[in-house]
Amino acid sequence: MKSLKLISLAITMLICFVTAAQEKTITGIISDETTLPIPGVTITNQNSKATAITNFSGEYSIQAVKGDLLIYSFIGYKTQRQKVENSNIINIKLYPENQTLNEVVVVGYGTSNSEYEDRSYARVEKRKEKKDISQALKGKVSGVQVQNNIGYMSNPSPIVTIRGVNSVSQKNEPMYIVDGVDAKANQMAKINPSDIQDLKVLKDDAATSIYGSKASNGVVIISTKNELYKNLTEKELDKKLNIITPIPAEPTQEDYDTFVENAFESPKTAPLSTFSIDVDNASYTNIRRFINNGQEVPKDAVRVEEMVNFFKYNYPQPKDEHPFSINTEVSYSPWNSKNQILRIGIQGKNIPTDDLPASNLVFLIDVSGSMGEVNKLPLLQQSMKILVNELRAKDKVAIVVYAGAAGLVLPPTSGGEKKTIIAALDNLQAGGSTA
């Protein structure tokens, strides 16, 4: 009898232990201090190392057991920690990181008030390693978002949002001041980072109290060495920065094959599928180009899978000998509760670029008259400049042209001579017929 009691007690304890350690799904919404949802927040289970990221509505879902510690982190906000208890729903509110506002300076083109310096500006020191001024704004002040906007535009400019999606202006674009002169985003993006003396961000009441209602979305203030752009008009600023206003290409000049959505396949009859690690993502940029030019988007130019593939998802790197990692997530379809959506993310192994052997590149460029449209030779020149900025001194570049002109434009030149290579690219002109 005593043995039976001991066995019964052991079984009871085992059941309790299994129940206590049973994994469950934790869901919730992450919001900021104004209760707006925050997309892109990383949630990490410190015990199991499982991770999740909030969607555009700030929602997340992660597996955990009672007693696990969940860590909520996002750039510009204080990291929060929450222990899993009995509830399956954990909503978290993140607050701006105070440290980003410790180093502050008030600059109004006139006087400075020390009593007013605690929350007005976040000083952003210019760093030599920054290749783009807009990138210096990332992560420096809570609420600032910077998105590259290259697309098919010959004069690309970043999209900067200082106060999020609920800004007063429909475009959410901040005001730019360069050496005391109003500037546009594409002008700001063309300024050489090495010419920058100081870069600051002003938002909320501090912005409108100095610059009025037109600064309701914040102000980005740039001061250059020796005030290179002081007292210039908009046209003079464009000329000094070598900005040429592009002529938008009409959609009628482009052809798109009719795009037909794939029909649903039953796994009973089609159980196999393939996935590519090297994916296309041009549709997103192409559509953004049409929208920025105020043009109608051809429906067959919209490729949903390419728009999904455009973004980086921070998938974990493959481990050990595996060439890629597989990441899956299942949820119910928001438009049909009878269906479920399976997201499959494949992450290939990143190859380190520090010790790559020297490259010897030859650009063979068509400069015939048909290349004169803004989305042809000008786009090609802009793209190649981006490549040139990534070259090392041990790399070499040569440029040869054909069609309207023919011959050697640039002999093999070290990647360290970027100004020489870029000058050669700028001198290319379209004209003549295709030989």
Side-chain angles (χ1 to χ4, degrees):
M1 180 67 70
K2 186 174 181 180
S3 299
L4 289 175
K5 286 183 178 181
L6 289 174
I7 293 173
S8 177
L9 179 60
I11 293 174
T12 302
M13 292 176 64
L14 179 61
I15 293 174
C16 292
F17 175 80
V18 172
T19 303
Q22 186 175 7
E23 194 174 55
K24 59 183 179 179
T25 301
I26 303 297
T27 60
I29 298 176
I30 312 300
S31 59
D32 63 11
E33 73 277 16
T34 63
T35 69
L36 286 175
I38 308 177
V41 177
T42 300
I43 303 95
T44 304
N45 186 327
Q46 191 178 40
N47 298 61
S48 67
K49 307 304 179 183
T51 60
I53 298 177
T54 56
N55 59 19
F56 288 105
S57 301
E59 301 169 339
Y60 74 94
S61 173
I62 191 170
Q63 298 297 314
V65 299
K66 185 176 179 180
D68 282 353
L69 183 64
L70 301 182
I71 301 175
Y72 303 80
S73 59
F74 188 66
I75 294 177
Y77 288 82
K78 294 180 180 178
T79 298
Q80 301 279 12
R81 291 172 170 80
Q82 179 64 47
K83 190 175 182 180
V84 177
E85 302 293 350
N86 295 325
S87 176
N88 292 346
I89 299 176
I90 301 178
N91 297 323
I92 295 293
K93 183 175 290 188
L94 298 182
Y95 294 91
E97 178 61 63
N98 292 331
Q99 279 189 329
T100 58
L101 298 179
N102 280 344
E103 189 180 3
V104 292
V105 173
V106 173
V107 177
Y109 288 90
T111 62
S112 174
N113 184 350
S114 60
E115 295 179 356
Y116 182 55
E117 290 180 355
D118 58 345
R119 292 182 180 87
S120 298
Y121 288 101
R123 181 184 180 95
V124 182
E125 295 293 341
K126 178 185 70 65
R127 299 184 180 182
K128 292 183 180 179
E129 65 269 18
K130 295 294 182 183
K131 298 177 182 177
D132 186 342
I133 298 170
S134 63
Q135 301 311 304
L137 298 173
K138 284 188 176 181
K140 298 300 181 183
V141 183
S142 60
V144 176
Q145 299 177 17
V146 182
Q147 176 183 341
N148 291 329
N149 183 24
I150 296 175
Y152 283 85
M153 305 172 67
S154 61
N155 293 321
S157 59
I159 298 175
V160 179
T161 306
I162 291 180
R163 291 302 300 167
V165 295
N166 280 356
S167 296
V168 176
S169 170
Q170 185 176 2
K171 290 186 177 180
N172 297 325
E173 187 175 29
M175 181 180 181
Y176 298 98
I177 303 293
V178 179
D179 291 336
V181 177
D182 286 358
K184 296 181 179 179
N186 65 325
Q187 293 171 328
M188 183 272 292
K190 292 283 285 185
I191 296 175
N192 188 339
S194 63
D195 292 334
I196 301 298
Q197 178 69 36
D198 195 30
L199 189 153
K200 306 178 181 70
V201 176
L202 172 66
K203 60 182 182 180
D204 299 334
D205 293 341
T208 55
S209 64
I210 297 177
Y211 297 100
S213 59
K214 61 182 179 180
S216 57
N217 290 321
V219 182
V220 176
I221 300 177
I222 298 172
S223 300
T224 64
K225 301 172 183 176
N226 301 322
E227 297 184 317
L228 299 174
Y229 308 104
K230 187 176 182 180
N231 299 326
L232 295 182
T233 65
E234 181 179 336
K235 290 184 178 180
E236 290 172 338
L237 190 57
D238 277 345
K239 185 176 181 180
K240 193 160 186 176
L241 294 171
N242 296 319
I243 294 178
I244 301 174
T245 303
I247 302 174
E250 294 296 327
T252 53
Q253 297 173 340
E254 303 171 17
D255 295 323
Y256 297 93
D257 292 334
T258 301
F259 180 69
V260 180
E261 291 283 352
N262 292 330
F264 279 100
E265 296 280 358
S266 171
K268 293 182 179 179
T269 57
L272 302 179
S273 183
T274 59
F275 298 91
S276 175
I277 294 180
D278 184 14
V279 296
D280 296 325
N281 55 23
S283 183
Y284 180 95
T285 311
N286 196 24
I287 291 169
R288 184 176 62 196
R289 187 252 308 193
F290 282 122
I291 295 173
N292 286 338
N293 288 342
Q295 299 169 325
E296 182 179 354
V297 179
K299 67 176 183 178
D300 292 319
V302 181
R303 305 294 177 98
V304 176
E305 75 282 4
E306 293 189 12
M307 299 184 75
V308 172
N309 290 334
F310 179 86
F311 299 96
K312 304 297 182 184
Y313 292 96
N314 197 29
Y315 292 134
Q317 279 289 299
K319 297 179 181 180
D320 303 325
E321 74 282 1
H322 303 295
F324 57 85
S325 67
I326 301 176
N327 307 270
T328 60
E329 185 177 356
V330 179
S331 67
Y332 286 99
S333 169
W335 57 84
N336 188 343
S337 59
K338 295 181 180 179
N339 291 342
Q340 289 182 309
I341 298 176
L342 171 64
R343 185 185 72 179
I344 302 176
I346 298 179
Q347 175 64 55
K349 183 177 293 185
N350 290 332
I351 306 300
T353 59
D354 297 337
D355 299 323
L356 288 178
S359 298
N360 187 21
L361 306 175
V362 178
F363 295 157
L364 179 61
I365 303 175
D366 180 358
V367 291
S368 61
S370 61
M371 291 291 289
E373 297 173 6
V374 68
N375 61 339
K376 293 184 179 178
L377 182 59
L379 173 62
L380 184 66
Q381 291 169 305
Q382 185 66 37
S383 302
M384 287 188 171
K385 288 177 184 178
I386 296 174
L387 172 61
V388 170
N389 286 330
E390 298 296 326
L391 294 178
R392 303 158 299 176
K394 63 181 181 180
D395 300 323
K396 289 188 178 182
V397 173
I399 300 178
V400 180
V401 297
Y402 71 99
L408 182 66
V409 173
L410 180 73
T413 304
S414 167
E417 300 180 37
K418 292 179 171 50
K419 289 185 178 180
T420 302
I421 302 172
I422 291 176
L425 289 170
D426 286 336
N427 287 334
L428 298 179
Q429 295 182 348
S433 59
T434 302

